[in-house]
């Protein structure tokens, strides 16, 4: 169940980060509201996952996978550019998360 909470926290963090970009510095009401509510609910689910999972695994997984998914959203929907170096960095990041979770 803890990994389910962590997965929900990751998805909500990606949603909230995307809304933060769309809020244009908190100038747009709905994306700003979604950012604040989304991050609040994100931390709730993150706290639930921390009840049984180690803090190192939770934060490495949350931040790493959240970063990778946010980059994917930025490329696919916000038309941001990515370089070969960025792709290599994301692969290294994901490999580290996998190692950490299986250690």
């Amino acid at each position: 169940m803890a990994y389910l909470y962590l997965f929900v926290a990751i998805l909500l963090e990606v949603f909230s980060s995307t809304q933060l970009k769309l809020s244009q510095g908190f100038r747009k009401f709905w994306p700003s509201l979604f950012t604040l509510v989304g991050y609040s609910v994100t931390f709730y689910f993150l706290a639930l996952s921390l009840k049984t999972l180690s803090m190192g695994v939770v934060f490495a997984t949350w931040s790493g996978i959240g970063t990778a998914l946010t980059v994917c959203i930025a490329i696919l929907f916000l038309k941001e550019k990515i370089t070969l170096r960025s792709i290599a960095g994301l692969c290294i990041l994901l490999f580290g998360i996998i190692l950490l979770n299986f250690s």
Side-chain angles (χ1 to χ4, degrees), residues 32-45:
S32 299
L33 180 64
F34 292 148
T35 298
L36 296 172
V37 171
Y39 277 127
S40 297
V41 179
T42 295
F43 283 111
Y44 172 74
F45 280 100

Side-chain angles (χ1 to χ4, degrees), residues 5-21:
Y5 293 145
L6 180 56
F7 180 71
V8 171
I10 291 167
L11 292 180
L12 286 168
E13 188 265 333
V14 172
F15 170 78
S16 301
S17 295
T18 304
Q19 293 302 309
L20 183 61
K21 170 73 173 174

Side-chain angles (χ1 to χ4, degrees), residues 53-83:
L53 298 174
S54 73
M55 189 163 70
V57 167
V58 167
F59 279 99
T61 304
W62 176 65
S63 62
I65 293 178
T67 298
L69 288 176
T70 301
V71 168
C72 291
I73 295 294
I75 293 166
L76 294 173
F77 298 106
L78 302 176
K79 308 298 184 218
E80 293 186 7
K81 304 251 189 253
I82 190 166
T83 65

